[in-house]
Amino acid sequence: WDASEQRIISIASRSAAAISIAAMAYIIFVVLRSPRLRSNIFHRLMLGMACNMVLLGLVGIWGVAAVPEESGLYGARGNEETCAASGFLLQTLGYAVV
């Protein structure tokens, strides 16, 4: 992919992650605000999943910036350690959602 396509993909994925964080923050806010919802097991599970999705969204915003610079990808500013950390978090948090 050329540089402009990589830039569009980077912007789109970060925008989607930001929207996801906002939506999950709303779910967290609604559940924590209501004692009735907090007492329901379904809503407590939703609260836990929403907290996990906020973390996953933060990893999504981090995105390509964690990839080593020498990869040549648009926005890559990381090193091998940041790439490994990003991959670990994506795998761990992604499986927790499923």
Side-chain angles (χ1 to χ4, degrees):
W1 296 351
D2 65 8
S4 65
E5 291 171 335
Q6 289 180 12
R7 185 174 24 147
I8 290 170
I9 291 170
S10 176
I11 292 169
S13 67
R14 287 180 177 172
S15 299
I19 292 169
S20 177
I21 289 171
M24 294 305 117
Y26 177 73
I27 290 174
I28 292 169
F29 174 74
V30 168
V31 172
L32 288 179
R33 202 175 83 186
S34 169
R36 182 180 64 82
L37 295 180
R38 282 195 316 263
S39 67
N40 186 331
I41 189 70
F42 171 77
H43 290 99
R44 281 188 275 169
L45 287 171
M46 287 298 295
L47 177 65
M49 289 177 55
C51 291
N52 181 62
M53 288 298 295
V54 166
L55 294 174
L56 193 58
L58 292 173
V59 173
I61 288 176
W62 189 16
V64 178
V67 175
E69 289 184 64
E70 50 274 359
S71 68
L73 289 175
Y74 173 82
R77 293 182 181 88
N79 54 38
E80 288 185 24
E81 288 80 19
T82 58
C83 188
S86 177
F88 172 77
L89 290 172
L90 280 171
Q91 291 296 314
T92 305
L93 296 172
Y95 284 127
V97 173
V98 176

